[in-house]
Amino acid sequence: AQSVAQPEDQVNVAEGNPLTVKCTYSVSGNPYLFWYVQYPNRGLQFLLKYITGDNLVKGSYGFEAEFNKSQTSFHLKKPSALVSDSALYYCAVRDPYNFNKFYFGSGTKLNVKP
Amino acid sequence: NAGVTQTPKFQVLKTGQSMTLQCAQDMNHNSMYWYRQDPGMGLRLIYYSASEGTTDKGEVPNGYNVSRLNKREFSLRLESAAPSQTSVYFCASSESFTTGDTPQHFGDGTRLSIL
C-alpha cells in the first residue's frame, strides 16, 4: 500500500528565514511525488512534482523540494520565507500502479511570522 | 478560465436528507475525482472517474454515489446524509491517467454540515 507521512502538524518560522516542511513516503514501485498548497477557503494548488531525474525540484513561488530515495523523503524547502507563504501544505504520492489514485499526507500548517 | 467549479459552496443538511454536489471543469480533462477533507486526516478519495462513462471507488466510498454526466461534469450524491459526512468536499480533475506526471486541479470546495 502507498502512503505519505507529514510528521509535523505545524511549522513556525520567521520571515526571511529558510523553511522546511517534511514529508516521507512509502511506495511499492517508482514514486511520483507532489506538493500542494492550500490557502484558507480555497482548493489545493499544485506547487511542484518529482517524477524522475534531478533530486532537487524547483516549483512555483520560489519553493523547491529535495527527493531522497534512501531516506524515502521529499521535503519542501524555501530559502527565505514570506508572510504570504503561511498556508496548509500537503504532500502526495501517486499510486504507480493506478495513476488515478493519489495518497495525501495529513497536511502541515506553515506559519510565517513578521 | 474558471478551471474546476463546485456548487454549492456551503450547505447545511439534516440527518437523512439527500443532496447532490456538482462539479464541472473546463480544461478538457479526462479524469475527475471527489475527495473529502477532515482535520488531521488530509484528503481521502471517495470516487474517481478515469474517463466519461466510467467510475470507480476510492478509499471511502460508503454512503456516496457518483455520476459522470459527460466529460465536463462529475457529481457526488449523498442519499441519506449522516453527521459523519460533515466535511469539506473537493472535486479535482487531471489531464491524463496514462502518465504519472500530471497534477490535479482542485475546485474551492463545498463545506457541508449535517445536523
Side-chain angles (χ1 to χ4, degrees), chain B residues 73-111:
Chain B
E73 298 172 288
F74 188 39
S75 63
L76 178 72
R77 183 162 177 83
L78 286 70
E79 290 290 352
S80 179
S84 62
Q85 294 177 304
T86 294
S87 187
V88 182
Y89 291 86
F90 287 99
C91 177
S93 69
S94 66
E95 184 173 328
S96 170
F97 64 95
T98 58
T99 59
D101 63 344
T102 53
Q104 294 179 309
H105 298 259
F106 286 82
D108 285 340
T110 294
R111 284 145 186 84

Side-chain angles (χ1 to χ4, degrees), chain A residues 23-109:
Chain A
C23 171
T24 58
Y25 65 89
S26 174
V27 172
S28 52
N30 291 327
Y32 297 81
L33 297 159
F34 298 80
W35 274 103
Y36 290 86
V37 60
Q38 184 183 25
Y39 298 102
N41 299 315
R42 299 298 304 275
L44 280 69
Q45 297 176 31
F46 168 69
L47 271 181
L48 51 79
K49 64 186 178 187
Y50 173 83
I51 305 301
T52 186
D54 290 341
N55 290 340
L56 187 63
V57 178
K58 294 191 182 297
S60 306
Y61 312 121
F63 283 93
E64 56 191 26
E66 186 172 10
F67 172 71
N68 187 317
K69 187 173 183 178
S70 63
Q71 297 185 4
T72 62
S73 66
F74 188 54
H75 299 333
L76 182 69
K77 300 183 178 185
K78 188 173 183 182
S80 179
L82 299 172
V83 172
S84 58
D85 293 330
S86 298
L88 189 56
Y89 291 81
Y90 283 102
C91 182
V93 63
R94 198 166 202 166
D95 190 327
Y97 303 107
N98 182 344
F99 285 156
N100 281 291
K101 290 190 173 180
F102 290 78
Y103 297 90
F104 285 81
S106 54
T108 299
K109 188 170 188 298

Side-chain angles (χ1 to χ4, degrees), chain B residues 49-60:
Chain B
S49 171
S51 61
E52 184 179 352
T54 68
T55 60
D56 283 286
K57 294 179 181 179
E59 189 182 354
V60 288

Side-chain angles (χ1 to χ4, degrees), chain B residues 6-105:
Chain B
Q6 292 184 236
T7 55
K9 294 188 185 305
F10 302 93
Q11 185 71 46
V12 179
L13 292 178
K14 294 181 179 179
T15 297
Q17 288 184 318
S18 63
M19 82 161 295
T20 300
L21 309 186
Q22 307 286 353
C23 174
Q25 52 93 7
D26 62 3
M27 295 171 283
N28 202 35
H29 286 169
N30 286 312
S31 301
M32 297 186 73
Y33 313 81
W34 276 106
Y35 290 91
R36 59 178 290 172
Q37 182 185 39
D38 301 292
M41 302 189 74
L43 273 73
R44 291 180 292 169
L45 182 64
I46 304 171
Y47 272 94
Y48 66 93
S49 171
S51 61
E52 184 179 352
T54 68
T55 60
D56 283 286
K57 294 179 181 179
E59 189 182 354
V60 288
N62 291 344
Y64 305 95
N65 287 302
V66 291
S67 295
R68 183 75 183 266
L69 304 171
N70 47 56
K71 191 171 186 179
R72 289 186 65 248
E73 298 172 288
F74 188 39
S75 63
L76 178 72
R77 183 162 177 83
L78 286 70
E79 290 290 352
S80 179
S84 62
Q85 294 177 304
T86 294
S87 187
V88 182
Y89 291 86
F90 287 99
C91 177
S93 69
S94 66
E95 184 173 328
S96 170
F97 64 95
T98 58
T99 59
D101 63 344
T102 53
Q104 294 179 309
H105 298 259

